[in-house]
Amino acid sequence: MSAFSCIVIGNESLLIQCAEILRTRGHAIRAVVTRNPEIRAWGQSNGLEVIAQDRNQSRALAGQSFDWLLSIANLEIIPDAVLGPARKGAVNFHDGPLPRYAGLNAPVWALLNGETRHGITWHRIAGGVDEGNILVQKTFDIAPNETALSLNTKCFAAAMESFPDVIEALAGDAAEGRKQDLSERSYYGRHDRPVSMGALEFSNNTSDLLRMVHALDHGDYWNPLTCPKLDAGEAVLLISGAAPAEGSDDAGRVLAVSYTHLRAH
């Protein structure tokens, strides 16, 4: 086991939490690359070099010397010019179990697909998007009535819990990881959207309708996909919550819904 140097790239609070673990274990952070003002302020307050995540980031990193590049809650493709200086390679955090849920918004798609378990993956950055060798993977149950918000929270908690194992792998002799079986791969891109753009179709059963509402429930956070909605004839309702109506069964297709906005046709 030996100390290593790294650059961290990302735009969510998970980066700060993982970076603090790195620092307490004696690993050197050469720079923080971000477009998040809170992360920028954290880095500066801790005496770290902070670089804007923009088209000039490659130039700003020129001449940097470091072992690993760590992409933590980063949704942008990292240019080769940024990956190149990492002497030992690069690692990415992914909020889904690879290879089955590659791409973006993995928790949402897992809920829409009716999965009962989900997970997170720390993987090497190599080949195509989310195709590199798996370093660490952690899976967990999806609870009944799980929402995108609650499942994303579980993903971040699992990332924190598993990050010490990632550090151990990078500091030891286990950084190669294991290859993915890409025959089992599925991929969800930036422009993929749920069927009917989240419109509730009452030809579906109650469980399907609830799944749509829960999968698109991001709480007060930004929703990158679409909102569940209901065509009420003279208006479109944007649905914020749903539950089976009293006395209904799965085939009854009866919901009690709450909504946050009413828009006339």
Side-chain angles (χ1 to χ4, degrees):
M1 302 288 290
S2 59
F4 57 80
S5 59
C6 64
I7 282 178
V8 292
I9 298 180
N11 296 290
E12 301 288 346
S13 61
L14 179 63
L15 180 144
I16 294 176
Q17 296 167 22
C18 290
E20 291 286 9
I21 297 175
L22 285 166
R23 285 157 55 85
T24 59
R25 298 194 176 205
H27 302 289
I29 300 176
R30 300 286 188 233
V32 178
V33 181
T34 188
R35 49 180 167 76
N36 183 312
E38 293 181 4
I39 296 176
R40 169 176 290 276
W42 170 85
Q44 291 172 338
S45 69
N46 284 279
L48 300 173
E49 180 178 1
V50 180
I51 295 170
Q53 189 177 21
D54 58 25
R55 62 184 180 182
N56 297 316
Q57 61 185 324
S58 303
R59 188 183 312 160
L61 285 168
Q64 288 277 6
S65 176
F66 57 97
D67 296 316
W68 293 99
L69 183 147
L70 304 181
S71 171
I72 304 173
N74 166 58
L75 300 182
E76 299 182 15
I77 300 296
I78 300 174
D80 289 341
V82 175
L83 294 170
R87 289 189 295 267
K88 295 186 177 181
V91 174
N92 179 61
F93 164 68
H94 180 68
D95 59 356
L98 294 176
R100 292 187 59 218
Y101 280 89
L104 296 175
N105 306 305
V108 173
W109 293 108
L111 291 174
L112 287 171
N113 292 337
E115 301 286 1
T116 58
R117 286 186 65 78
H118 193 59
I120 59 93
T121 308
W122 294 92
H123 66 94
R124 297 288 298 268
I125 298 177
V129 175
D130 297 335
E131 289 185 354
N133 289 2
I134 293 172
L135 286 181
V136 176
Q137 194 164 66
K138 185 176 180 65
T139 61
F140 43 84
D141 289 337
I142 294 177
N145 298 325
E146 195 92 69
T147 67
L149 175 61
S150 63
L151 191 53
N152 269 302
T153 301
K154 284 184 176 180
C155 288
F156 273 45
M160 285 287 297
E161 292 169 6
S162 58
F163 189 61
D165 294 333
V166 176
I167 294 176
E168 184 175 346
L170 299 184
D173 298 320
E176 182 64 26
R178 60 180 174 85
K179 290 185 177 180
Q180 297 186 45
D181 181 357
L182 297 181
S183 68
E184 298 183 1
R185 173 179 166 90
S186 61
Y187 179 85
Y188 296 90
R190 186 177 302 275
H191 301 294
D192 287 333
R193 293 294 183 270
V195 63
S196 302
M197 287 296 292
L200 302 183
E201 301 285 351
F202 280 87
S203 58
N204 296 327
N205 59 40
T206 301
S207 60
D208 290 338
L209 296 171
L210 290 170
R211 188 179 302 125
M212 179 74 77
V213 174
H214 293 151
L216 297 175
D217 180 0
H218 291 78
D220 293 331
Y221 289 88
W222 175 60
N223 183 334
L225 290 169
T226 188
C227 294
K229 55 189 71 71
L230 178 63
D231 188 343
E234 295 182 356
V236 174
L237 309 180
L238 300 185
I239 305 302
S240 59
E246 185 176 353
S248 68
D249 57 22
D250 191 59
R253 296 180 286 278
V254 180
L255 296 182
V257 300
S258 55
Y259 58 88
T260 58
H261 181 67
L262 178 66
R263 179 172 64 83
H265 278 309

